[in-house]
Amino acid sequence: MCRLFALTSKEPVSPMEAIKALDVMKEGHDGSGVGIMLRDLGGPFEEMKDAPILSGIFTEDGIRRLDLFMMDQGFMTKYKVSIKVPKTNTSGIPRRGLYLIRAYEYPESWDGLDKGEVERRLMMTRLKIREMGEEKRDMIVFSFWPDTIMLKELGDPMDVGHYLGLDRKDLKARVIMAQGRQNTNYAIDLYACHPFFIKGFTTMTNGENTAFIPIRDFLSSRDYPGYTGYHSDSEVFAHILHYTMEGLGLGLDTYKHVMTPLQDKTLEKHPDAPFLKHLKQSCRQLIIDGPNCVIGTLPDNTLFMAQDRKKLRPGVVGGRPGMFAFSSEICGLDAVIPDRDKSRDIQPMHLDTAIVSPDRQEVKICRQTEPLALPL
Amino acid sequence: MSANRTISPSTLSLKDLPWQIDWKKDRCTLCGQCTAVCPVQAIELGVFRKRNLVTSIHRVEDNQTSFETFYGIRQKTTIPEACIGCAMCAMVCPNDAIEPTPSTGTPRFRFHQDQDGEPRKRGGRRNTTESLLDQIKFIRISMLTDPALDAGRHEFEMRSLLGRVLPPEENMRRLRTHGWIPPVREIYPLIIGGMSFGALSPTMWEGLQMGVAYLNEELGMPVRISTGEGGCPPRLLRSRFLKYVILQIASGYFGWDEIIHAIPHMKEDPCAIEIKYGQGAKPGDGGLLMWHKVNKLIAAIRGVPQGISLPSPPTHQTQYSIEESVAKMIQSMSMAWGFRVPVYPKISASSTSLAVLNNLTRNDFASGLAIDGEDGGTGAAYSVSMDHMGHPIASCIRDNYLNLVKIGKQNEIPIFAGGGIGKNGNIAANAAALIMLGASGVQIGKYVMQAAAGCIGTEKERCNVCNLGICPKGITSQDPRLYRRLDPEAVAQRVVDLFVSFDMELKKIVAPLGRSTSLPIGMSDALGINDYAAAERLKIKYVV
Ligand code: SF4
Ligand code: SF4
């Protein structure tokens, strides 16, 4: 089972903190890969919160094609982090081209567009680059979004951390998500690695998604270009989140009601029963059934953890005002926030969504049986 | 018949019949029970003459001949009296002296059933054991990467939706603006399909209704039953149990006068209205209730004269186009109940089903589509229709579901599959396979008759006289002497047994696949089949 770790901190911290947590949870993953997402960035990116950042891996040809494409679109490079990998090979990590983290200036022609349109275009640009890359196998793109960096690579998380030099000073963030994978399929495609990102929504999961096919079919038939990919059965969790919040305009407290609705007997007693009944029926194809612990972030940097209907995966949340972490195991939490009040650690159960909002003051438990903050 | 007499072409010998009676003289007590019970008078008391020769080793004059008569059972060879293999004689015989045995060759009888130019009609089934559904295996077993669930202990919600489900965005919008939201029923995915009051005996109908009521009210299983085309007894129409009933309207409109008049008196809305355009056993042909079964009660409920055959036309005579059928009929039925009741058509599986479905997707009032495959059963049909007409259910359901996926409406219009589910006894496996191919639920008929009432029809040309009103089990007869054999309470008990055990078997299928919180509609990655062409056609895995 893969191990998950996420943290949210008032002060920017190095991604190595999360890597450290994955390292102590090593018994639970086989070191076959790691994925990291950084948001609410510190360092030089602090000054350019609005600039979209492209994260991905490119061959030399790929970079040339990317530059041509981006120039053509009118994007100008604003800032870049150059990741220099060691000359000697590290066992388990494949040799690839360039790991790219590059912030862009928006094209002038985008001036005056409303936020929704800008966001749509950013997504379409990412999808276009991905499509071009898949054609010639020379570009892999993880995200293209303001204030967001994403890295994925095969190998042991600690090794990958050192290999990519993630301990560098200019790479710091206030929200970090990291997953150490447990390999269950050999031909690993980096697009199958967590976390998954769509328009500011990110999720990572462990466990198997047994209802994957009907969910994938439902999402891909929504006529929404971003609902694509699905190299991993877990990618749908990010898309369900996006669909719930942006597509349906609902709050985070409904995410679990979409994926793991209450059973009818309990639902009938819920104060928002009529609404929830309609939600359950019309989103029936999005019901998950696997053993899954989902950790995610929202565009406003809220961090949350939600469990499957039977709570078959471990997950713990703890910390102190200013810094909270979400972890598969308590040892991961201990490694990063040892000085917290451990008696206040929370293990969200089958009805719970544990939420830490961007002010990072407390862990809020949102239970499915409670009234919803309905945007109706 | 003597050897020197002419024989007519249709003079048959015992060997030409599909069933031969094996009677044991040494065990028979001549009680006459078998001849009394035989539904087709295939056997009668026979007087046999036997000559005994005693030859002497001495003089030829000492040779003796004597005659003896003895009594026994004689099987008749006329076409209408040919044994149907029902084995009622064996059932009633106190000494196990008699039983039917199937003919080993091709019974020549087949070629003579069209006496007076009237092709063979029968009730029952297609009489073939082949079943693609039986070949489908569930291959995606949760092993270590995710835990298999526990069918006995975990919570399960094996429910389906019947009704037009709006797309989520539209549903939320109408909730906000208090717009009309189509009625949706939450039902159990195993539905008792349309078998009319008339086709079925009163005791059978009562037993089914009682079983369904018990499942709903005592066990909390929202099981639904379709009336078939024959109306609904007035008392049921005015009772609270109506909510468990799907009222069927078909091209003969039998019983609808009564139903329409009962609307103001209904305490509950019916579960749904099913408009039957076709059925799997005799696609393109209407219902048929033969005159033997149209007694006073049936005639009253259906609003017809007594003792006449009731063939329904193949199409609804008031409708000549799909627009009319879909728009007019569905809309007017919805309107009759104030748009509170789901209305959906039932059609025979056909290569044209997709066209029907596409039309339904554009009609806001269409609440689903029931498709009945070639293996569907019937109370009466021409043999040729039953044996050779129709489309297999699996690929029809799959095509329709994938078409809905293509247009993104797979959650909006539920498809229900019928025809041949459990034909060889594997009801839960067949139902689960169809659900994973894309059905929202399945309708069963013959299986209920077999399991809940002891129908002795099999896929091996046994019995099948449902059309003649002489059902030896009292299931499809209107003759009180016969239907009194069937105890409605016992039928109800068996209906409950059937559903409860089905439920457990369904859990035993979905739990190892790691599914429990919702019905795995369209979970085709769980399916495999050892037939390459079928796997390609159904878009599931080929496994050997
Ligand atoms: S098997 Fe049925 S039809 Fe045949 S002789 Fe016996 S009772 Fe009559
Ligand atoms: S037992 Fe009755 S219902 Fe069953 S096949 Fe015979 S006649 Fe038909």
Side-chain angles (χ1 to χ4, degrees):
Chain A
M1 186 187 70
C2 307
R3 289 296 188 267
L4 312 172
F5 186 85
L7 67 82
T8 173
S9 155
K10 214 162 119 235
E11 300 305 327
V13 297
S14 161
M16 286 311 277
E17 288 296 303
I19 299 273
K20 197 163 79 188
L22 291 182
D23 199 50
V24 299
M25 293 193 278
K26 209 166 175 169
E27 275 175 27
H29 60 85
D30 62 0
S32 63
V34 61
I36 293 191
M37 198 272 320
L38 310 175
R39 276 182 69 90
D40 204 351
L41 302 168
F45 290 103
E46 189 91 61
E47 311 305 319
M48 45 188 105
K49 288 273 175 194
D50 285 339
I53 304 170
L54 185 69
S55 311
I57 306 177
F58 295 77
T59 65
E60 275 182 28
D61 278 352
I63 276 285
R64 267 196 293 277
R65 293 210 303 139
L66 174 78
D67 285 345
L68 275 176
F69 172 75
M70 290 305 264
M71 228 128 69
D72 211 35
Q73 303 289 309
F75 283 104
M76 301 286 287
T77 303
K78 190 169 184 175
Y79 181 79
K80 66 171 190 251
V81 174
S82 309
I83 292 183
K84 296 248 169 345
V85 298
K87 296 237 158 31
T88 53
N89 283 351
T90 306
S91 113
I93 307 177
R95 277 270 159 205
R96 296 191 203 264
L98 187 76
Y99 296 84
L100 186 90
I101 300 170
R102 189 185 278 178
Y104 285 94
E105 206 88 67
Y106 284 107
E108 267 173 28
S109 58
W110 290 26
D111 285 355
L113 293 179
D114 67 34
K115 188 162 164 278
E117 180 57 17
V118 170
E119 292 181 343
R120 194 190 66 81
R121 289 188 181 196
L122 285 177
M123 182 184 77
M124 296 310 287
T125 310
R126 171 175 66 84
L127 293 174
K128 181 71 198 163
I129 301 172
R130 175 171 174 162
E131 189 193 311
M132 289 164 56
E134 278 174 342
E135 206 178 293
K136 298 231 162 114
R137 312 199 55 78
D138 57 357
M139 321 183 200
I140 301 173
V141 54
F142 301 126
S143 58
F144 182 45
W145 201 256
D147 205 16
T148 307
I149 292 174
M150 199 174 272
L151 286 159
K152 297 178 185 181
E153 189 46 282
L154 308 184
D156 178 75
M158 193 52 101
D159 292 347
V160 172
H162 289 308
Y163 180 77
L164 298 180
L166 298 185
D167 46 0
R168 58 196 292 161
K169 287 204 180 54
D170 54 353
L171 211 54
K172 287 207 159 77
R174 295 180 187 83
V175 173
I176 300 177
M177 287 170 67
Q179 193 224 31
R181 40 179 301 128
Q182 172 69 38
N183 194 12
T184 47
N185 53 332
Y186 270 90
I188 307 171
D189 187 313
L190 281 183
Y191 280 128
C193 292
H194 305 230
F196 298 99
F197 178 85
I198 181 165
K199 290 183 92 185
F201 297 88
T202 316
T203 66
M204 59 183 181
T205 328
N206 55 21
E208 203 84 0
N209 178 4
T210 51
F212 170 57
I213 295 295
I215 299 176
R216 180 203 64 189
D217 288 349
F218 187 80
L219 288 167
S220 2
S221 59
R222 288 312 90 193
D223 197 21
Y224 187 80
Y227 298 156
T228 171
Y230 305 123
H231 287 281
S232 158
D233 62 19
S234 291
E235 188 158 13
V236 300
F237 294 103
H239 295 177
I240 298 173
L241 179 65
H242 172 263
Y243 183 68
T244 307
M245 299 194 65
E246 203 177 288
L248 302 180
L250 302 173
L252 178 59
D253 52 353
T254 50
Y255 182 48
K256 231 178 112 55
H257 281 287
V258 170
M259 292 196 305
T260 59
L262 292 174
Q263 286 219 316
D264 289 342
K265 276 188 262 91
T266 334
L267 194 145
E268 276 155 25
K269 289 187 215 115
H270 195 284
D272 300 304
F275 169 81
L276 288 178
K277 197 186 92 193
H278 285 284
L279 189 68
K280 178 176 177 179
Q281 291 183 346
S282 61
C283 293
R284 176 168 57 148
Q285 301 289 88
L286 294 177
I287 297 176
I288 68 159
D289 224 338
N292 295 113
C293 172
V294 184
I295 295 179
T297 47
L298 307 185
D300 71 353
N301 292 324
T302 298
L303 200 58
F304 72 89
M305 174 190 282
Q307 291 285 6
D308 65 77
R309 177 73 200 162
K310 295 176 193 65
K311 213 267 178 199
L312 290 169
R313 284 287 180 259
V316 58
V317 187
R320 50 180 151 73
M323 186 168 189
F324 287 93
F326 294 57
S327 177
S328 289
E329 292 178 57
I330 294 179
C331 61
L333 218 52
D334 290 346
V336 178
I337 322 180
D339 56 340
R340 68 189 194 281
D341 177 358
K342 291 184 189 175
S343 69
R344 302 186 72 107
D345 286 357
I346 295 169
Q347 303 198 23
M349 297 311 283
H350 69 297
L351 296 172
D352 301 339
T353 308
I355 303 170
V356 177
S357 47
D359 63 9
R360 305 176 176 99
Q361 288 307 305
E362 56 171 359
V363 184
K364 208 180 123 224
I365 291 287
C366 166
R367 183 154 298 175
Q368 268 182 285
T369 45
E370 286 163 6
L372 296 170
L374 285 180
L376 282 177
Chain B
M1 201 210 68
S2 306
N4 60 356
R5 285 296 160 90
T6 48
I7 46 174
S8 79
S10 295
T11 305
L12 301 177
S13 79
L14 281 178
K15 211 50 199 157
D16 296 328
L17 303 181
W19 295 88
Q20 278 91 37
I21 284 299
D22 182 10
W23 169 73
K24 300 182 189 68
K25 178 171 183 272
D26 54 336
R27 304 193 68 142
C28 180
T29 58
L30 300 178
C31 69
Q33 301 246 37
C34 56
T35 51
V37 81
C38 178
V40 290
Q41 287 84 46
I43 43 178
E44 62 186 349
L45 181 71
V47 183
F48 300 88
R49 180 163 179 260
K50 194 174 172 199
R51 177 178 178 187
N52 293 321
L53 290 177
V54 182
T55 46
S56 167
I57 55 168
H58 305 293
R59 297 181 314 155
V60 79
E61 297 82 58
D62 292 342
N63 287 352
Q64 286 178 6
T65 180
S66 66
F67 289 90
E68 187 190 324
T69 44
F70 69 93
Y71 303 96
I73 299 298
R74 187 193 300 279
Q75 182 177 2
K76 299 188 220 167
T77 56
T78 69
I79 307 282
E81 292 168 320
C83 169
I84 55 172
C86 70
M88 290 304 286
C89 49
M91 190 183 282
V92 298
C93 178
N95 269 5
D96 301 335
I98 188 167
E99 64 176 357
T101 50
S103 167
T104 42
T106 309
R108 305 194 54 73
F109 175 79
R110 288 189 67 133
F111 304 104
H112 298 277
Q113 283 174 296
D114 55 355
Q115 299 293 312
D116 301 326
E118 187 58 35
R120 184 185 177 204
K121 296 187 209 69
R122 62 172 208 260
R125 63 217 71 240
R126 213 157 64 96
N127 288 332
T128 150
T129 49
E130 66 183 35
S131 164
L132 182 98
L133 296 176
D134 281 350
Q135 273 175 270
I136 296 179
K137 308 165 203 294
F138 305 96
I139 54 164
R140 194 219 161 277
I141 310 298
S142 298
M143 280 289 131
L144 296 174
T145 55
D146 58 303
L149 303 173
D150 186 333
R153 271 169 287 220
H154 276 123
E155 51 166 33
F156 284 80
E157 199 161 75
M158 294 292 113
R159 297 280 187 270
S160 195
L161 299 178
L162 167 55
R164 184 60 169 263
V165 182
L166 292 173
E169 297 84 351
E170 182 61 14
N171 199 335
M172 298 300 122
R173 194 185 69 76
R174 294 208 198 167
L175 267 181
R176 265 196 308 271
T177 55
H178 303 286
W180 176 70
I181 297 180
V184 174
R185 308 281 196 238
E186 215 171 286
I187 64 168
Y188 196 72
L190 184 67
I191 301 165
I192 302 182
M195 294 180 285
S196 69
F197 190 96
L200 296 186
S201 67
T203 41
M204 179 65 183
W205 234 71
E206 196 185 346
L208 292 179
Q209 296 292 345
M210 283 196 294
V212 168
Y214 187 91
L215 285 164
N216 277 279
E217 308 211 336
E218 296 298 324
L219 302 184
M221 289 170 76
V223 174
R224 299 293 179 262
I225 178 171
S226 164
T227 57
E229 182 196 14
C232 185
R235 234 157 51 102
L236 181 57
L237 285 173
R238 290 164 177 80
S239 79
R240 69 187 158 92
F241 302 110
L242 186 64
K243 58 176 180 280
Y244 310 137
V245 175
I246 297 168
L247 295 173
Q248 190 186 82
I249 181 164
S251 55
Y253 303 137
F254 294 125
W256 273 78
D257 201 35
E258 179 71 44
I259 293 175
I260 296 293
H261 282 105
I263 291 180
H265 310 287
M266 286 180 185
K267 288 195 191 69
E268 297 272 358
D269 287 332
C271 165
I273 309 298
E274 180 176 76
I275 307 176
K276 189 187 90 171
Y277 291 102
Q279 69 183 92
K282 40 179 169 176
D285 208 352
L288 174 62
L289 190 68
M290 295 184 59
W291 63 271
H292 322 268
K293 293 170 79 169
V294 186
N295 62 17
K296 201 169 158 199
L297 176 66
I298 304 300
I301 291 178
R302 295 195 172 204
V304 295
Q306 213 177 316
I308 53 158
S309 286
L310 300 177
S312 305
T315 58
H316 290 244
Q317 296 293 303
T318 49
Q319 301 159 22
Y320 290 95
S321 65
I322 182 159
E323 298 77 35
E324 272 185 304
S325 309
V326 174
K328 202 161 92 184
M329 188 94 183
I330 294 183
Q331 231 147 300
S332 30
M333 294 316 285
S334 303
M335 206 177 325
W337 273 273
F339 300 97
R340 297 184 312 270
V341 176
V343 182
Y344 66 92
K346 171 182 173 177
I347 58 171
S348 322
S350 150
S351 54
T352 60
S353 307
L354 270 182
V356 178
L357 182 75
N358 284 332
N359 218 285
L360 294 181
T361 59
R362 289 194 289 274
N363 181 318
D364 278 355
F365 301 105
S367 318
L369 178 63
I371 304 180
D372 197 13
E374 60 171 353
D375 273 326
T378 179
Y382 282 92
S383 281
V384 66
S385 304
M386 234 191 282
D387 296 344
H388 303 287
M389 305 293 294
H391 193 295
I393 190 65
S395 59
C396 191
I397 289 293
R398 191 73 181 136
D399 290 352
N400 279 277
Y401 177 75
L402 289 179
N403 188 55
L404 286 177
V405 168
K406 201 155 78 195
I407 56 174
K409 287 183 188 282
Q410 64 269 48
N411 192 43
E412 294 168 35
I413 302 193
I415 306 172
F416 292 89
I421 293 131
K423 71 188 286 195
N424 297 319
N426 309 310
I427 184 172
N430 293 173
L434 282 165
I435 288 169
M436 291 178 208
L437 288 173
S440 280
V442 297
Q443 297 189 333
I444 49 164
K446 293 187 305 284
Y447 191 90
V448 183
M449 308 227 283
Q450 289 172 312
C455 158
I456 44 195
T458 65
E459 295 295 337
K460 297 247 168 81
E461 188 71 64
R462 192 173 168 203
C463 201
N464 293 344
V465 289
C466 333
N467 55 329
L468 299 178
I470 53 173
C471 171
K473 288 301 199 83
I475 304 166
T476 55
S477 168
Q478 301 304 333
D479 181 343
R481 288 169 304 180
L482 293 176
Y483 68 65
R484 262 191 236 122
R485 288 178 184 164
L486 198 63
D487 173 6
E489 305 270 352
V491 171
Q493 175 66 58
R494 286 293 302 148
V495 170
V496 174
D497 291 351
L498 149 64
F499 274 87
V500 172
S501 84
F502 172 88
D503 195 53
M504 188 39 130
E505 282 197 342
L506 186 61
K507 288 178 190 167
K508 283 279 175 196
I509 292 171
V510 299
L513 308 178
R515 297 300 304 269
S516 70
T517 24
S518 68
L519 200 64
I521 299 168
M523 185 189 177
S524 52
D525 56 328
L527 302 179
I529 193 167
N530 62 359
D531 175 331
Y532 187 74
E536 290 287 294
R537 181 70 181 77
L538 297 176
K539 298 197 172 65
I540 60 177
K541 278 216 179 72
Y542 169 54
V543 286
V544 276

